[in-house]
């Protein structure tokens, strides 16, 4: 069987990007969580805030480190696999990614050491400032990365000169039509991902009667966060759908598996899209609701896939199902938030063991949802790398399929080791628990404090 280098390069980028995205989706929210904990400690000096900070800073260090390492790989692939994109769009994408490095990565790197090691070594206000600086840095990083990515979806502020995208309006480039809602949607998703991890870990500790005051505090804070953010995220998702309908109608048609243009269209809950037959099998739908959701009008018109050439349509089945995974998890999150609110009202939030088990199960839901959403967004843009301007096949580097396959296999093996090591170490940190933070505090002036130390007798040493 002849290998397709373009398809393999797409697989490689999708794999490395999905793997990398797991970590920023967690550390963006976790950095802000740590800033809140530090601020509350400075204001109240309550022991549980200090304990929680010293517990979660270790987990942050692991996730942040893996995120940085895997993020560097992304930029190299623009040269190794996608030199066509670099030639055509480097004058726009290069500065945007450069701003991300200069404004965000340097800010994070400059204050990360103080944040990790400075609790007992610098004044508390300096340490608070460093923690806030790292949190701000993660948000700035998300801003520039999403600005560059949004330009690929809804390019603006440029002209094409001899096949090269030349900038004409940098404000239009940075704030391309899809950027504002995509930034809000993605950052909110990151905060929700972090919140469900914190809630899940706290629930697990409560099920074992471990670090009860700290776990109750973290559980309560996390539940307040998701009761606010989950409805907000659903609203941002709705607004994102309207934006996609306005600027990328073929993507919206693929997401909803609508083949025919029409008004008063149904909402297709489940189906098996048949792209070659241009139809759906095994359809379960709700009449009228599609137009209402997609256009905010009971009889609004929605374009169908048949309005677009077959060569310009994305893989329908993939985006149809990844979108439903994301939406389904979003409403499951909303259900969890409402359950938690009810349990808080009846005074059972901290002792409802069935709810704690449910929240442990929900711990990875944010990661699954963000990856499903990213796949929907990026695969839904195909076959374009710059929507309507540059096709993915034309953005490829002149590299053989065998070389791409070899590098893909190596990435899978190396990243499997990285992910396995990170998960193993984070699980080990959780098993040790927040109690280890106080052990660290007692030994502060005996041995150097390290973010990866595990002071617990069950593991034999602080390694």
């Amino acid at each position: 069987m002849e290998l397709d280098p373009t398809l393999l390069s797409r697989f490689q980028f999708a794999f490395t990007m999905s793997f990398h995205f797991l970590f920023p989706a967690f550390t963006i929210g976790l950095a802000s969580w740590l800033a809140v904990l530090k601020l509350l400690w400075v204001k109240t000096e309550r022991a549980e805030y200090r304990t929680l900070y010293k517990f979660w800073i270790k987990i942050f260090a692991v996730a942040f480190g893996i995120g940085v390492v895997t993020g560097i790989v992304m930029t190299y692939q623009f040269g190794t696999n996608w030199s066509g994109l670099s030639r055509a769009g480097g004058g726009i994408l290069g500065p945007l990614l450069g701003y991300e490095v200069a404004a965000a990565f340097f800010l994070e790197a400059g204050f990360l050491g103080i944040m990790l090691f400075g609790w007992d070594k610098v004044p508390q206000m300096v340490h608070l400032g460093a923690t806030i600086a790292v949190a701000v840095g993660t948000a700035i990083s998300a801003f520039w990365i999403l600005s560059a990515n949004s330009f690929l979806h809804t390019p603006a502020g440029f002209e094409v000169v001899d096949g090269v995208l030349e900038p004409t309006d940098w404000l239009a480039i940075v704030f391309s039509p899809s950027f504002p809602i995509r930034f809000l949607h993605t950052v909110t998703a990151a905060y929700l991902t972090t919140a469900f991890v914190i809630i899940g870990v706290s629930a697990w500790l409560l099920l074992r009667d471990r670090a009860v005051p700290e776990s109750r505090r973290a559980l309560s804070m996390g539940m307040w966060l998701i009761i606010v953010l989950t409805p907000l995220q659903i609203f941002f998702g709705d607004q994102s759908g309207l934006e996609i309908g306005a600027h990328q109608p073929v993507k919206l048609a693929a997401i909803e598996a609508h083949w025919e243009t029409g008004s008063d269209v149904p909402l297709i809950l489940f189906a098996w899209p048949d792209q070659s037959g241009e139809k759906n099998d095994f359809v379960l739908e709700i009449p009228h609701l599609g137009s209402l959701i997609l256009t905010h009008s009971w009889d609004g018109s929605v374009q169908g896939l048949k309005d677009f050439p077959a060569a310009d349509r994305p893989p329908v089945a993939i985006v149809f199902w990844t979108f439903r995974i994301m939406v389904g998890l979003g409403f499951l999150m909303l259900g969890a938030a409402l359950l938690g609110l009810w349990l808080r009202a009846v005074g059972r939030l901290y002792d409802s063991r069935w709810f704690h088990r449910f929240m442990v199960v929900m711990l990875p839901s944010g990661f699954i949802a963000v990856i499903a959403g990213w796949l929907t967004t990026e695969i839904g843009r195909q076959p374009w790398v710059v929507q309507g301007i540059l096709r993915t096949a034309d953005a490829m580097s002149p590299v053989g399929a065998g070389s791409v396959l070899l590098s893909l296999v190596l990435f899978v093996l190396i990243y499997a080791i990285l992910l396995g090591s990170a998960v193993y170490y984070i699980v080990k940190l959780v098993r040790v628990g927040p109690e280890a933070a106080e052990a660290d505090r007692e030994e502060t002036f005996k041995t150097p404090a390290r973010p990866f130390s595990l002071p617990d007798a069950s593991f034999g040493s602080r390694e």
Side-chain angles (χ1 to χ4, degrees), residues 121-455:
K121 297 178 176 61
V122 299
Q124 291 301 309
M125 293 304 296
V126 173
H127 190 258
L128 171 62
T131 304
I132 293 174
V134 171
V136 171
T138 62
I140 295 175
S141 179
F143 178 95
W144 288 114
I145 292 295
L146 286 167
S147 176
N149 183 259
S150 296
F151 175 82
L152 300 179
H153 288 265
T154 52
F158 71 99
E159 62 180 3
V160 180
V161 180
D162 296 328
V164 175
L165 279 62
E166 298 285 353
T168 59
D169 184 345
W170 276 105
L171 278 179
I173 290 171
V174 173
F175 297 96
S176 63
S178 63
F179 169 70
I181 191 61
R182 294 185 72 235
F183 177 74
L184 293 172
H185 193 48
T186 304
V187 172
T188 305
Y191 282 119
L192 279 172
T193 299
T194 304
F196 274 93
V197 173
I198 292 167
I199 292 167
V201 169
S202 302
W204 185 86
L205 291 168
L206 287 173
L207 286 169
R208 286 153 181 78
D209 294 322
R210 298 270 307 280
V212 173
E214 293 83 3
S215 299
R216 285 189 170 192
R217 179 66 61 181
L219 178 71
S220 177
M221 293 173 69
M223 293 306 302
W224 281 124
L225 188 61
I226 67 171
I227 196 63
V228 173
L229 289 186
T230 308
L232 194 61
Q233 180 70 331
I234 292 173
F235 170 75
F236 288 151
D238 173 70
Q239 296 300 303
S240 181
L242 295 177
E243 178 275 319
I244 292 172
H247 297 99
Q248 296 174 291
V250 64
K251 179 195 290 189
L252 183 64
I255 286 172
E256 298 300 330
H258 286 306
W259 297 95
E260 304 284 351
T261 297
S263 56
D264 195 19
V265 299
L267 174 65
I268 301 175
L269 297 177
F270 301 102
W272 189 258
D274 178 1
Q275 191 146 356
S276 60
E278 297 184 330
K279 61 186 178 66
N280 298 323
D281 298 321
F282 314 110
V283 179
L284 176 63
E285 61 187 26
I286 301 175
H288 312 294
L289 198 55
S291 286
L292 182 62
I293 292 175
L294 299 176
T295 68
H296 289 191
S297 172
W298 187 255
D299 58 353
S301 179
V302 178
Q303 277 190 281
L305 286 160
K306 291 183 181 180
D307 279 6
F308 306 92
D312 292 347
R313 302 171 191 168
V316 179
I318 297 175
V319 297
F320 178 85
W321 282 108
T322 53
F323 177 78
R324 275 147 185 80
I325 290 171
M326 178 188 67
V327 172
L329 285 171
F331 280 99
L332 190 60
M333 291 176 180
L334 179 61
L338 294 173
L339 273 175
L341 188 63
W342 175 73
L343 288 170
R344 190 190 297 272
V346 299
R348 296 292 309 279
L349 180 62
Y350 303 121
D351 58 12
S352 178
R353 298 182 70 81
W354 66 264
F355 180 72
H356 294 166
R357 292 189 185 95
F358 174 57
M359 296 312 295
V360 172
V361 173
M362 287 291 292
L363 186 151
S365 60
F367 294 107
I368 300 171
V370 296
I371 294 301
W374 180 81
L375 290 174
T376 301
T377 299
E378 299 305 310
I379 296 175
R381 187 180 69 220
Q382 298 303 315
W384 303 97
V385 66
V386 182
Q387 184 73 46
I389 305 296
L390 179 66
R391 288 184 177 270
T392 304
D394 297 328
M396 263 291 295
S397 298
V399 60
S403 298
V404 181
L405 179 61
L406 176 61
S407 61
L408 174 59
V409 171
L410 291 174
F411 274 129
V412 171
L413 293 175
I414 293 170
Y415 278 30
I417 295 171
L418 282 174
L419 181 62
S421 302
V423 171
Y424 169 78
Y425 202 84
I426 289 173
V427 169
K428 197 172 182 180
L429 287 167
V430 172
R431 286 181 58 197
V432 171
E435 301 96 323
E438 292 308 313
D440 271 351
R441 180 172 172 80
E442 293 172 2
E443 297 186 18
T444 295
F445 299 103
K446 298 179 183 179
T447 58
R450 291 170 291 150
F452 299 122
S453 60
L454 290 171

Side-chain angles (χ1 to χ4, degrees), residues 37-50 119 124 441:
L37 290 175
K38 182 65 183 187
L39 180 63
L40 290 172
W41 158 251
V42 169
K43 289 185 63 177
T44 68
E45 294 192 359
R46 294 179 62 170
E48 61 259 36
Y49 295 129
R50 179 189 65 224
W119 184 287
Q124 291 301 309
R441 180 172 172 80

Side-chain angles (χ1 to χ4, degrees), residues 2-16:
E2 186 177 352
L3 298 175
D4 182 354
T6 301
L7 185 61
L8 287 172
S9 292
R10 287 173 59 189
F11 278 136
Q12 179 174 300
F13 194 84
F15 173 75
T16 54

